[in-house]
Amino acid sequence: MFADEKLINVPFDVYRYDASRGGEPRYQHYELRLAPHTPILTGLLRIRDELDPTLSLRYSCRSAICGSCAMLVNSKSRLACHTPVGPEVREHGRIVVDPMRNQPILRDLVVDQQPFWSRYEKMEPHLILDPKHPMPEGRTTPMSPAQVERFKETPRCISCAACFSACPAVEADPAFPGPMALAKLYRFVVDPRDTAQTHRLRTIQTEGLWLCLRCHLCTEACPKDVRPSERIRDLKELAVQAQGGTEAGSRHAIGFLKNIEERGTLNELKLVRQTSGVTGLAASLPQGVRIWRKKPEVTKSPPPIEDLDQVKKIYAALKDEKAEES
Amino acid sequence: MLKHDIVVVGAGLAGQRAALAAARAGHDVALVSKLHPLRSHSGAAQGGINAAVGKEDSVETHIYDTVKGSDYLGDQDAIEFFCQQAGPTVIEMEHFGTIFSRSDDGSLARRAFGGAGFPRTIYAADRTGLALLQGIYEHLGTETIRIYEEWFLLSVVVRDGRVQGITAFDRKTLKVEGIEAKAVILATGPFGRVYGRTTNAHSCTGDGVAAAYRAGAALKDMEFVQFHPTALMESSILITEGARGEGGVLKNVNGERFMARYAPHVLDLASRDVVSRAIVTEVKEGRGFPGGFVHLELMHLGKEKVETRLQEICDFSRTYAGVDPVTEPIPVYPAQHYMMGGISTNMKGEASLIGLYAAGEAACVSIHGANRLGGNSLLETLVFGKQAGLAAAEFVGTAPDPEIRDDDLDKETARIQELWNRSEGESPRALRAELQQTMDQLVGIYRSPEELYRGLRQVRALQERYRNVRVIDRSTTYNIDLTDALEVGNLLALAEVIVVGAIARTESRGAHTRLDYPARDDKNWMKHTLARWTPNGPELSYAPVAYTRWEPKERVY
């Protein structure tokens, strides 16, 4: 229990801005004496109560279930109610609080979440049923614990947008749906009640699935351990399994896999052809020439590595594991 | 002027279910909420939703358990209907997409809950509210419903006893708008924030209940306040009854399972009022831990069970109390959890004004009577949310056109201006803190007349001081200084009704325990309290309880 904790000095630097009144954003400094386990949200509400009633933020449940209070805490996307002050002060000496990224700032720590919600809506986030196979009348759909298991942690998602805020692909490309939307999509793709798996996978392959940078910052940011980046990986696997190499992204993945299996290393030239086809290869020609001038070895077909038999063993083991799973 | 056939205020489970039913009936429906619908407090419900679907269980037993749990104050006709709807409601939510936990045979998993004869609580780990909220929100997306997201309710407009719509403002702009509607459904949830020690979210400030009260609607049974036995120390964050349903036990400082002395047959799974009183008594009589709490032990259940079925509880205990339930006991003490009282409605969700409806925790049908059983509130939101939506849909077919006039808007704008223009005065948060302290200390689990009268004087003194409350923030976007002030006004109005009702009811029934009247008094008090607003405080009257088949008996667990 926290009973014996000593109070510590907690310096806050909080982002202040009001889009309705314009002006320059600034940081405002506050200091509180708090027990180290105190959640940052409690600190911000104490600031409102005791120091400055004009500080604005979203909050409601204070127990990491409503998803209202995501913000940047010392540059990381966090739920304020789920992040204690102590470790932040120990590591950074102070607590810098900013509004989330990738969403326009309305006021102080309040952002306009439209970019987040509109991407979610695009996932057709509801069960799609085949009229020929309606839900069983007067009873529930049977679903084994193993089938429930397939949702993994996606039902824990509280739509807080911490992952969306942390995602560099969202920042770079407006076509990327973002981690939460894709984790949601995964939840419908593995749902035994849903009948639109093919449609969903085909659509998402051309609408952003392969834009994920695999940096896992979303998984690091998620306060509920939904692990969005792993669900994106799962989606890619399902897409390739079901539809093969229909997209540059999936062809790249398949090509990568084959390359390593054959030689234990990458044949970059071959990979480009596998990913983008002969026309793609032709389109990449000027870039290829530039690379060839600087690093000619990259454009050559590399010999297989010495311990290729080890690689083959890994592939065989993976195949066995897959067979066992199914 | 904005205009819809039906306006639903509050977008938790009850509000969304009502909106869905009304839209399905072919009407133009608006859903107004001060939070994004997925951030509603319904999502915080943990343990589960009751439905007697097991082979050994029966609707009849569910009805009996609910009647008994209500300490015979619940309306038996409403309870019968409610329990009959349980199975179909859960099936419907499953069809909407809710992901429930399952048994090995593929059917819905069930767990034991307090005051229930059988394990009939269907669940989704320990986040059943979130699972249902996601399920209904996803399904609602298939209908055309206008959502006014992050709009704050100011008033229900009533003329000649008939609802004309609401006034509200968009929190982004602070512009006061009227939304005309033939029917208004209030599903704004509870007002647990009248207490400091509460499991409720900060947003649970009874905005809809207070607006209905000010508009002249009757409130019912407001003195019945449920205290959940197991809230975390310090933060009062809820530890679900499901923890005891899975086998968790309560122990005092001597390591004794003290519930054996209070509920010899069902021990830790007695009804909530019984367990909360037991914990308070243990601590009062010196058998609590230093700091005033008892232990909830889950260690004997094993890591696997605790971490899968009580995943959120593990996280909450570790984050907010610094204990790991797999290896350590959880320090718990009762906290305000649920309001049995609310806007008085009948089984169709109709309130006492023409065109006004209410559902969910904002309403009082009453099915919970003097004490609600765990697992019955999620069910209530869906069953009576749908009822209210259907009833409103039927009503608007023949209702005359509504009209909100300029002076309806001016009145609300003036109310805000007054707060805004005051150059000196008190902080709404200071008043709120004093109100919460008053209610915690004087209007808690055990109630004495001296404390209740002192509580009433203090609440009224705070109401007086509220006339001088001041908003400092000058921004017209996300001005939570202003919404704090409006919310505190609502809390103060409702706190008074709770205390006045508690003073008048000279008996002990369910969650209302009077030290000076320790027994239930069926002869004089088997009746609902109704409260109506007057300039001099709430005016009380009483209404009979509906009986069908269950004669009042002594309540033993």
Side-chain angles (χ1 to χ4, degrees):
Chain A
M1 267 185 75
F2 295 127
D4 309 327
E5 277 184 349
K6 288 206 173 61
L7 297 188
I8 55 167
N9 196 48
V10 183
F12 283 92
D13 285 306
V14 184
Y15 180 93
R16 304 299 307 271
Y17 174 67
D18 187 343
S20 71
R21 291 194 286 184
E24 285 297 306
R26 63 193 165 89
Y27 286 92
Q28 194 154 350
H29 187 76
Y30 308 99
E31 293 206 14
L32 292 172
R33 300 280 299 168
L34 297 169
H37 74 274
T38 309
I40 284 168
L41 176 65
T42 308
L44 294 172
L45 296 182
R46 282 268 306 268
I47 290 173
R48 285 188 41 73
D49 283 356
E50 296 164 21
L51 304 171
D52 185 354
T54 71
L55 176 64
S56 189
L57 67 155
R58 282 197 186 95
Y59 63 97
S60 181
C61 77
R62 56 75 167 90
S63 57
I65 204 74
C66 77
S68 299
C69 67
M71 52 188 72
L72 297 187
V73 175
N74 287 323
S75 302
K76 292 200 164 158
S77 298
R78 294 281 180 264
L79 267 192
C81 71
H82 200 249
T83 311
V85 295
E88 295 296 323
V89 174
R90 251 197 324 276
E91 198 178 331
H92 303 275
R94 59 182 184 152
I95 298 176
V96 182
V97 188
D98 285 278
M100 278 195 280
R101 293 194 194 96
N102 296 332
Q103 296 149 91
I105 299 163
L106 295 172
R107 171 143 192 235
D108 299 345
L109 305 172
V110 181
V111 295
D112 177 0
Q113 300 216 271
Q114 209 42 50
F116 170 72
W117 291 120
S118 63
R119 283 168 171 84
Y120 159 80
E121 297 295 344
K122 261 191 97 176
M123 294 300 113
E124 299 177 85
H126 52 85
L127 286 184
I128 298 176
L129 303 177
D130 181 347
K132 279 181 284 193
H133 300 283
M135 291 282 191
E137 178 119 14
R139 60 190 175 86
T140 54
T141 329
M143 202 186 287
S144 66
Q147 280 173 312
V148 175
E149 199 62 18
R150 288 194 76 202
F151 292 108
K152 307 218 167 132
E153 296 296 335
T154 53
R156 287 191 84 188
C157 175
I158 55 171
S159 319
C160 67
C163 60
F164 189 82
S165 163
C167 178
V170 166
E171 192 181 345
D173 195 335
F176 185 56
M180 179 272 196
L182 288 170
K184 245 331 150 189
L185 180 71
Y186 169 84
R187 167 253 173 279
F188 285 102
V189 167
V190 298
D191 195 319
R193 298 166 292 190
D194 195 80
T195 54
Q197 196 195 38
T198 310
H199 157 77
R200 289 185 190 276
L201 287 174
R202 185 167 294 142
T203 311
I204 199 60
Q205 286 220 67
T206 56
E207 290 184 4
L209 175 63
W210 296 98
L211 296 173
C212 167
L213 302 169
R214 288 167 292 179
C215 66
H216 300 286
L217 284 174
C218 52
T219 292
E220 196 261 344
C222 177
K224 305 303 280 187
D225 203 30
V226 171
R227 301 175 170 267
S229 56
E230 294 180 15
R231 303 297 78 84
I232 295 172
R233 180 205 59 201
D234 293 340
L235 275 176
K236 287 174 176 172
E237 241 181 75
L238 289 168
V240 170
Q241 272 167 20
Q243 290 158 8
T246 57
E247 302 302 314
S250 48
R251 284 196 299 270
H252 184 82
I254 294 165
F256 207 100
L257 193 74
K258 279 190 183 151
N259 259 267
I260 302 289
E261 189 175 18
E262 283 164 10
R263 296 162 188 271
T265 184
L266 281 186
N267 180 343
E268 300 275 359
L269 200 64
K270 196 171 169 188
L271 191 58
V272 174
R273 182 157 47 78
Q274 282 165 329
T275 304
S276 315
V278 181
T279 47
L281 192 62
S284 310
L285 204 58
Q287 195 189 1
V289 169
R290 279 202 304 277
I291 293 171
W292 176 74
R293 280 193 184 133
K294 281 193 178 158
K295 270 178 99 179
E297 68 275 13
V298 173
T299 53
K300 278 188 203 133
S301 174
I305 59 164
E306 266 175 36
D307 297 328
L308 189 62
D309 56 326
Q310 297 289 330
V311 174
K312 300 258 184 211
K313 270 186 199 159
I314 293 172
Y315 271 70
L318 283 172
K319 268 176 201 155
D320 283 351
E321 206 176 278
K322 272 265 167 317
E324 252 172 53
E325 264 177 32
S326 58
Chain B
M1 195 75 68
L2 302 161
K3 191 169 188 167
H4 299 275
D5 294 338
I6 297 169
V7 167
V8 183
V9 190
L13 283 172
Q16 290 194 47
R17 190 61 191 84
L20 184 66
R24 284 267 161 85
H27 295 290
D28 168 20
V29 179
L31 188 54
V32 178
S33 172
K34 67 177 175 179
L35 308 170
H36 184 282
L38 281 176
R39 312 217 182 285
S40 304
H41 191 51
S42 299
Q46 297 173 357
I49 176 167
N50 291 339
V53 294
K55 281 196 187 72
E56 76 285 19
D57 203 355
S58 69
V59 172
E60 194 73 5
T61 336
H62 187 189
I63 298 169
Y64 172 71
D65 288 342
T66 304
V67 170
K68 178 183 170 186
S70 82
D71 219 350
Y72 299 91
L73 192 68
D75 287 329
Q76 296 182 3
D77 54 350
I79 293 173
E80 287 191 40
F81 172 77
F82 167 71
C83 296
Q84 283 154 5
Q85 293 303 308
T89 300
V90 169
I91 291 168
E92 183 177 68
M93 288 307 295
E94 197 276 334
H95 289 184
F96 285 175
T98 302
I99 302 165
F100 289 107
S101 295
R102 302 284 179 148
S103 311
D104 289 337
D105 65 359
S107 64
L108 302 182
R110 286 170 285 126
R111 60 165 54 123
F113 247 54
F118 295 98
R120 73 165 67 98
T121 305
I122 290 156
Y123 61 92
D126 52 351
R127 45 172 178 276
T128 315
L130 183 67
L132 292 168
L133 192 63
Q134 287 174 348
I136 196 140
Y137 183 70
E138 287 157 9
H139 195 73
L140 200 69
T142 62
E143 294 288 334
T144 312
I145 290 168
R146 170 75 200 273
I147 298 181
Y148 293 86
E149 184 187 316
E150 297 192 321
W151 279 53
F152 192 94
L153 173 71
L154 287 167
S155 69
V156 175
V157 179
V158 177
R159 192 168 298 106
D160 308 326
R162 193 177 264 282
V163 164
Q164 311 291 327
I166 63 164
T167 63
F169 63 83
D170 183 345
R171 298 179 68 177
K172 277 190 198 68
T173 60
L174 208 54
K175 188 169 175 287
V176 176
E177 303 255 21
I179 307 179
E180 290 174 336
K182 292 175 181 172
V184 170
I185 303 173
L186 295 172
T188 50
F191 34 99
R193 285 279 155 179
V194 294
Y195 289 87
R197 291 192 48 82
T198 175
T199 63
N200 281 194
H202 288 283
S203 54
C204 298
T205 52
D207 307 336
V209 182
Y213 178 54
R214 284 195 301 267
L219 306 185
K220 192 194 288 166
D221 292 341
M222 293 285 281
E223 62 270 32
F224 293 99
V225 178
Q226 178 164 82
F227 290 81
H228 196 288
T230 60
L232 282 181
M233 284 303 288
E234 186 181 315
S235 62
S236 296
I237 286 170
L238 175 66
I239 300 296
T240 174
E241 191 165 293
R244 280 171 286 138
E246 296 291 350
V249 296
L250 292 164
K251 287 189 181 172
N252 63 18
V253 73
N254 304 322
E256 181 204 2
R257 280 191 73 177
F258 57 88
M259 280 312 298
R261 283 186 275 113
Y262 300 89
H265 304 294
V266 297
L267 302 160
D268 303 276
L269 284 176
S271 180
R272 287 178 179 171
D273 54 337
V274 176
V275 183
S276 286
R277 277 193 294 268
I279 294 173
V280 172
T281 305
E282 289 300 296
V283 171
K284 241 182 205 159
E285 293 179 356
R287 292 184 297 277
F289 288 84
F293 55 87
V294 298
H295 276 166
L296 172 62
E297 291 190 358
L298 306 178
M299 297 95 79
H300 57 286
L301 302 179
K303 188 177 162 72
E304 155 83 21
K305 192 170 186 180
V306 174
E307 287 191 340
T308 53
R309 297 209 196 154
L310 300 168
Q311 199 173 21
E312 306 294 328
I313 293 313
C314 283
D315 178 17
F316 295 163
S317 303
R318 289 165 187 160
T319 309
Y320 302 115
V323 299
D324 184 349
V326 175
T327 56
E328 297 164 276
I330 310 173
V332 293
Y333 193 76
Q336 190 283 338
H337 179 59
Y338 185 87
M339 294 296 182
M340 268 71 76
I343 301 163
S344 178
T345 74
N346 60 16
M347 279 161 66
K348 293 168 76 182
E350 292 166 338
S352 61
L353 302 172
I354 299 166
L356 187 66
Y357 299 78
E361 199 173 342
C364 178
V365 177
S366 144
I367 48 162
H368 308 307
N371 172 70
R372 174 176 73 79
L373 292 189
N376 269 355
S377 67
L378 285 176
L379 182 59
E380 179 194 19
T381 61
L382 296 164
V383 169
F384 291 103
K386 181 177 176 183
Q387 284 289 96
L390 291 175
E394 199 187 314
F395 168 78
V396 299
T398 56
D401 260 0
E403 187 197 6
I404 291 181
R405 296 179 189 159
D406 287 345
D407 51 329
D408 297 321
L409 288 173
D410 295 345
K411 208 166 82 188
E412 293 307 314
T413 310
R415 188 152 76 97
I416 291 176
Q417 282 298 334
E418 207 182 324
L419 290 166
W420 191 275
N421 292 340
R422 211 164 275 146
S423 57
E424 53 191 275
E426 295 205 60
S427 149
R429 286 159 301 280
L431 292 185
R432 186 176 62 201
E434 283 191 49
L435 169 67
Q436 292 174 340
Q437 209 178 9
T438 299
M439 296 298 283
D440 282 349
Q441 289 173 356
L442 305 175
V443 197
I445 292 176
Y446 285 105
R447 298 167 171 185
S448 74
E450 299 77 27
E451 288 185 335
L452 288 175
Y453 275 110
R454 192 138 50 91
L456 182 61
R457 278 196 302 277
Q458 290 184 14
V459 169
R460 288 192 168 151
L462 288 166
Q463 287 178 335
E464 202 51 43
R465 282 164 60 191
Y466 182 76
R467 296 154 75 98
N468 193 33
V469 84
R470 176 195 179 197
V471 169
I472 290 173
D473 190 3
R474 299 285 96 181
S475 178
T476 54
T477 191
Y478 290 92
N479 187 328
I480 49 177
D481 195 16
L482 174 68
T483 44
D484 276 350
L486 294 167
E487 288 172 348
V488 172
N490 294 338
L491 291 174
L492 283 167
L494 300 175
E496 185 189 13
V497 186
I498 295 173
V499 190
V500 167
I503 289 172
R505 188 172 282 272
T506 49
E507 67 157 351
S508 290
R509 182 185 296 271
H512 174 67
T513 309
R514 284 280 296 253
L515 291 167
D516 50 340
Y517 293 94
R520 196 175 75 195
D521 178 0
D522 290 339
K523 193 164 153 267
N524 296 304
W525 284 106
M526 185 98 69
K527 56 190 181 186
H528 296 297
T529 308
L530 294 176
R532 282 192 174 79
W533 185 90
T534 77
N536 306 315
E539 184 182 87
L540 301 186
S541 59
Y542 293 90
V545 173
Y547 285 101
T548 54
R549 290 177 286 157
W550 288 271
E551 283 296 317
K553 284 192 296 196
E554 197 195 347
R555 205 161 140 254
V556 180
Y557 286 101

